Amino acid sequence: MSKHKLSEEKWFEQPTYYDEIRFKGYTRRDFMKFASMMAAFIGLESSAIGQVAKAMETKPRLPVIWLHFQECTCCSESFIRSSHPIVADILLDKISLDYSETLMAASGTQAEAALKNTLEKYKGQYILCIEGSVPTGADGVYCMIGGKTSMQILEEVSENAAAVIAWGSCASNGCVQSAKPNPTSATPIHKLVKGKPVIKVPGCPPIGEVMAGVIVHYLTFGTIPELDRLGRPKAFYSKRVHDTCYRRPFYDAGLFVESFDDENAKKGYCLYKVGCKGPTTYNACGVMKWNAGTSYPIQSGHPCIGCSEENYWDNGRLYQRASSFAGFGIESDADTLGKYALGATGVALAGHAILTNINKRKDINTLTAEGEAGDVDVIE
Amino acid sequence: MAEKLLRVHRLRRIYVWELPVRIYHWINVLVLLVLVVTGFYIGNPLALMSGKEASEVYTMGWFRFLHFAAAYIFFFNFVFRIYWGFVGNKYANWKQFIPTSKAFWKELKTVLKIDILQMKGDKEEREHLSIGHNALAGLTYFGTFLAFLLQCLTGFGLYASMASWWFPKLFTWVPFLLGGDILTRQIHHWTMWFFILFAVIHVYLVFYHDYVEGRGEISSMGGGWKFIEEDFFKKNKSHTPNPES
C-alpha cells in the first residue's frame, strides 16, 4: 500500500483530517472504522457514516484552541485515553497544535505567539475548548497565565470563536472549586460567555469518546449537536446512569448492598443504599463505559457520585442517599430533622390539649350541661 | 330546670361539606398515606431478607408503581378540588383559602388568640366561631395547596425522564430549573415532612374543635352536616356570610 501523498503546500495550509490520518500511517480501513465508531457514538444512523467520513476527507481540520483554567487536567487525560487511537492521535495531537497549555510543545513567547496567530488567522472559525472554571473573585488573580487573568484570556479568545465547548464539570458548572463557600468565586463558562453557543460536556472527567463525539459532530455537520435545556449534547446526556445500569434488576427487585463488602456486595446487588447517585445523574457511563469500554464506577463496585451533575459536591453526601440539611450539622438530614419536628409537634399538641381542658373548662361544662338538659327535655 | 332549658340552643343543621368535597378529602387521606409510606420506602428501602433471584422479586418496582399511581390520583384529585373551588358552595369557595377581605384577617387574628394561644380575649372574640373553615385553617390549606403544587412539580419533574406519556413530560423544565435531579429529589423529600406534620396537627385540631365547640366537627367530613346554634346567625362575625335559609 502506498503511503498517502500530501503536497507540501497543502500541508502547510490546512490539511484535512484524512490527510493527517493517512500521513500518520493509518490505513483507509482504520479510518472507516473510526468514522463508523464516531457516527455510532453521536447517535447517527449507519447511512450517516459516509457523511462523517466525507467530512473528514474534505473539510480542513478545525482550528482549535484549548484553554486550561481552574482544573486538574483530568479532561485532557480522559480525552487522550479514548478508545480509538485516532482520537488521541489526530483530534488531540492536531487540534491542540494551535494552543493547549498542557500538550503543546511551545512555551513562553512562542506559545503566546501561536495563540495570537490562531486568533487572527482563523477569526470566527476556531472552536474554543475550555477546561476549568474562571475565578472572578479578587479581579481574577487566582488564575493567571502569561500575566493575564483567566477572565481576560477568556474574553479575548471567546470573542471570535465559532463555538465554545465547556469540557468537564469545572467549565460546565464550577465543580468542587465552586463548592460552598466558593472562595475564588469560581464561575462556569456559560455564565461568562454571552451570545455564543456553549456546549456543556460535564463529568469529572467526561468520557473521552463523548468528547471526541462532540468534536466530530461539529466537524461533520458544521453545527453544534442538539443540546438539552441545560446545554448538554442530548446524544450523551439524555439518559440517567440508572436507566442504563446493568445492576438495575437488583434495584427493581429491592435487593441492595447494605454496606460495602457485605454478602450483597459480593453478589453484585444494587448500590442505591450506599449512596449511588445513578438515579439522579445524566451521563453515558452505563453505555460507553471507560477505558475503551472496560468498566465504569458501578461495575467496579463503587456507587456513582453524580460527578456530571451540577452542585453534586454540595447537594449530597457521597455514600448516602439523603443530603445533609444546611445549618443543622453534618449528620442531620431531612428525616432526622423531621423526626425531631414530629416529636416537638407531639409535645406541643399534648400541652395544648392540657391547656384546653383548663382554659376552656367553662365552655365545655356549659356544653355538657346543655346536653344533659336537652336529655331531660326529651324524657319529659 | 325550666330556666336551664331556656338556655339550650336551638341548632340549625347546615350542609357544609358537599359530597365532592368529602370524596376529595378521603381520597386525599388514602393517597397521601400511600405516597408517604411508599415514598419512605423508595427513599430508604428496607433490607430484603430474601434468598430469591432478582428476576423473581419486584419489591422496589411495586413500591414505585404504587407511588406513581397514587401520585396521578393525587394530582387529578387536586385539580378537581381547584375546579370545585369555583363551582362548589360557599364553604368550598376559593375565597375561603385566599384572604380577600379585612374580616378574614380579623378572624385569623382571633383564631390565633383564642384557639391556638388560648388567650382570654373579650366576649366578642370568644364567640368567633365560623361555620366552614376558620380563617387560619383556610390560609393553612392554601399553604398545603402550595405544597401540593411543589410536590407535583418536583415529583412529575423527576418522573418525566422515565415517562413516555406527554403529560409528565410537561414537567421536564423543573429539574432543569433547579439545576438537576439531585436537588429536585431533596426538595421532594423535604416537602413530604410538611405533609406529615400537617396531618398530625390537622387531626388534633379537628378533635379539639369537636370537643370544645360541640358542633359535630369530626362527623361533618362523613355526612357533611354541622350543627350550628341559631343565635350564631343573628350576629355572624365570621368572614363567611350566613347561608340562605
Side-chain angles (χ1 to χ4, degrees), chain A residues 245-257 264 267-272, chain B residues 48 52-55 57-61:
Chain A
C245 182
Y246 77 102
R247 296 196 190 209
R248 180 63 187 265
F250 294 109
Y251 170 86
D252 288 329
L255 298 168
F256 301 103
V257 172
N264 295 353
K267 286 181 189 160
Y269 284 1
C270 173
L271 297 157
Y272 185 72
Chain B
L48 264 193
K52 285 183 179 168
E53 289 295 324
S55 56
V57 201
Y58 196 59
T59 312
M60 186 63 148

Side-chain angles (χ1 to χ4, degrees), chain B:
Chain B
M1 207 60 192
E3 204 183 332
K4 208 169 189 181
L5 278 176
L6 284 177
R7 283 211 272 125
V8 173
H9 299 291
R10 282 172 56 81
L11 296 177
R12 195 190 286 186
R13 193 169 126 145
I14 299 195
Y15 192 52
V16 181
W17 314 125
E18 299 153 291
L19 185 63
V21 173
R22 272 136 53 207
I23 292 176
Y24 158 79
H25 176 266
W26 292 111
I27 287 181
N28 232 4
V29 171
L30 190 74
V31 159
L32 275 173
L33 192 69
V34 172
L35 284 169
V36 168
V37 171
T38 55
F40 265 122
Y41 182 87
I42 294 166
N44 188 16
L46 301 167
L48 264 193
M49 293 301 148
S50 166
K52 285 183 179 168
E53 289 295 324
S55 56
E56 295 172 60
V57 201
Y58 196 59
T59 312
M60 186 63 148
W62 279 115
F63 270 99
R64 278 160 43 89
F65 172 77
L66 277 176
H67 194 80
F68 301 147
Y72 272 117
I73 300 173
F74 175 76
F75 177 80
F76 288 110
N77 196 35
F78 172 42
V79 170
F80 167 78
R81 183 61 185 86
I82 292 172
Y83 162 75
W84 200 256
F86 293 94
V87 300
N89 71 11
K90 66 161 71 69
Y91 305 109
N93 192 271
W94 63 273
K95 283 186 180 166
Q96 290 286 307
F97 309 100
I98 301 168
T100 50
S101 63
K102 261 193 176 158
F104 193 104
W105 292 110
K106 194 162 172 261
E107 189 184 323
L108 187 99
K109 216 179 101 195
T110 315
V111 175
L112 266 175
K113 246 171 103 175
I114 304 297
D115 292 312
I116 306 302
L117 301 173
Q118 304 250 327
M119 284 155 69
K120 275 262 174 306
D122 55 35
K123 192 164 177 297
E124 192 189 306
E125 280 175 324
R126 278 201 302 280
E127 291 171 359
H128 70 86
L129 308 167
S130 45
I131 302 171
H133 302 300
N134 69 48
L136 180 63
L139 193 63
T140 308
Y141 296 146
F142 181 58
T144 65
F145 281 9
L146 294 182
F148 287 0
L149 191 67
L150 185 64
Q151 216 58 338
C152 289
L153 288 176
T154 53
F156 280 114
L158 287 167
Y159 183 75
S161 70
M162 38 182 157
S164 45
W165 190 29
W166 58 267
F167 174 74
K169 282 195 187 296
L170 295 176
F171 295 84
T172 44
W173 56 274
V174 182
F176 286 117
L177 191 75
L178 295 169
D181 283 11
I182 303 180
L183 189 62
T184 314
R185 189 192 159 279
Q186 305 299 1
I187 292 173
H188 196 69
H189 192 109
W190 297 334
T191 312
M192 174 198 64
W193 275 102
F194 170 82
F195 288 89
I196 297 172
L197 295 176
F198 167 81
V200 170
I201 298 171
H202 172 73
V203 170
Y204 168 79
L205 284 176
V206 169
F207 276 83
Y208 165 87
H209 284 289
D210 197 289
Y211 179 59
V212 172
E213 295 163 6
R215 295 163 137 197
E217 183 86 18
I218 297 176
S219 69
S220 70
M221 208 28 92
W225 301 98
K226 274 197 188 175
F227 309 93
I228 312 290
E229 301 83 352
E230 194 62 61
D231 359 337
F232 173 85
F233 301 102
K234 287 179 202 134
K235 42 177 184 178
N236 183 0
K237 299 255 171 19
S238 101
H239 74 104
T240 319
N242 284 340
E244 297 78 18
S245 40

Side-chain angles (χ1 to χ4, degrees), chain A residues 212 276 337 346:
Chain A
C276 185
L337 218 71

Side-chain angles (χ1 to χ4, degrees), chain A residues 4 46 52 86 91 105 117 131 144-145 157 171 176 182 198 204 239 246 264 274 277 307 310 314 323 327 330 355 379:
Chain A
H4 186 68
S46 57
V52 174
I86 289 181
L91 291 179
N117 190 31
E131 222 178 313
M144 297 187 68
I145 300 151
V157 181
V176 284
N182 193 359
V198 176
C204 192
K239 284 261 183 291
Y246 77 102
N264 295 353
V274 284
K277 302 297 184 298
C307 76
E310 188 177 335
D314 280 335
S323 74
I330 294 165
L355 264 180
I379 294 162

Side-chain angles (χ1 to χ4, degrees), chain A residues 38-358:
Chain A
M38 279 299 139
F41 279 157
I42 56 184
L44 303 174
E45 297 170 23
S46 57
S47 60
I49 297 169
Q51 238 177 312
V52 174
K54 182 130 199 238
M56 301 196 86
E57 276 172 353
T58 54
K59 291 187 189 169
R61 72 175 182 86
L62 279 175
V64 172
I65 295 172
W66 189 305
L67 297 176
H68 299 253
F69 297 139
Q70 284 181 304
E71 47 92 356
C72 71
T73 316
C74 73
C75 301
S76 296
E77 290 285 345
S78 172
F79 193 46
I80 58 177
R81 272 159 192 74
S82 84
S83 52
H84 203 286
I86 289 181
V87 173
D89 246 10
I90 302 304
L91 291 179
L92 190 69
D93 266 18
K94 298 304 172 193
I95 59 174
S96 65
L97 264 183
D98 297 314
Y99 187 86
S100 159
E101 279 104 351
T102 312
L103 291 151
M104 64 190 166
S107 65
T109 318
Q110 280 175 311
E112 295 305 316
L115 175 62
K116 199 162 166 264
N117 190 31
T118 311
L119 286 181
E120 279 164 12
K121 194 170 166 195
Y122 301 113
K123 198 170 173 182
Q125 295 172 42
Y126 60 88
I127 299 287
L128 172 60
C129 297
I130 301 169
E131 222 178 313
S133 58
V134 174
T136 56
D139 290 327
V141 294
Y142 297 113
C143 179
M144 297 187 68
I145 300 151
K148 288 182 196 163
T149 66
S150 51
M151 256 165 26
Q152 286 172 315
I153 299 171
L154 179 66
E155 251 169 57
E156 268 173 40
V157 181
S158 67
E159 199 187 343
N160 293 310
V164 178
I165 304 178
W167 286 147
S169 289
C170 298
S172 304
N173 43 41
C175 211
V176 284
Q177 62 272 30
S178 74
K180 282 170 197 156
N182 193 359
T184 64
S185 299
T187 311
I189 302 308
H190 66 97
K191 289 194 179 156
L192 298 168
V193 174
K194 299 288 171 212
K196 274 200 203 303
V198 176
I199 309 167
K200 292 190 204 166
V201 188
C204 192
I207 303 169
E209 283 79 3
V210 169
M211 300 172 77
V214 172
I215 290 185
V216 171
H217 187 286
Y218 189 85
L219 177 76
T220 309
F221 300 105
T223 55
I224 59 171
E226 197 187 346
L227 306 179
D228 67 12
R229 291 189 201 226
L230 284 181
R232 306 171 295 193
K234 273 188 177 171
F236 308 109
Y237 294 94
S238 60
K239 284 261 183 291
R240 302 179 302 166
V241 171
H242 190 53
D243 294 325
T244 49
C245 182
Y246 77 102
R247 296 196 190 209
R248 180 63 187 265
F250 294 109
Y251 170 86
D252 288 329
L255 298 168
F256 301 103
V257 172
E258 300 293 328
S259 66
F260 289 107
D261 289 329
D262 69 359
E263 196 53 39
N264 295 353
K266 283 170 197 152
K267 286 181 189 160
Y269 284 1
C270 173
L271 297 157
Y272 185 72
K273 284 178 83 176
V274 284
C276 185
K277 302 297 184 298
T280 44
T281 304
Y282 292 77
N283 209 334
C285 299
V287 181
M288 295 197 174
K289 302 192 179 175
W290 291 79
N291 299 322
T294 308
S295 180
Y296 71 115
I298 293 169
Q299 194 174 342
S300 61
H302 191 281
C304 167
I305 63 169
C307 76
S308 57
E309 287 295 307
E310 188 177 335
N311 259 325
Y312 76 91
W313 49 92
D314 280 335
N315 268 346
R317 295 182 282 196
L318 296 188
Y319 299 106
Q320 268 156 303
R321 290 286 309 158
S323 74
S324 59
F325 217 91
F328 292 90
I330 294 165
E331 286 305 314
S332 70
D333 54 37
D335 290 341
T336 325
L337 218 71
K339 278 172 207 158
Y340 281 121
L342 198 59
T345 308
V347 171
L349 294 186
H352 193 271
I354 293 166
L355 264 180
T356 300
N357 275 302
I358 298 167

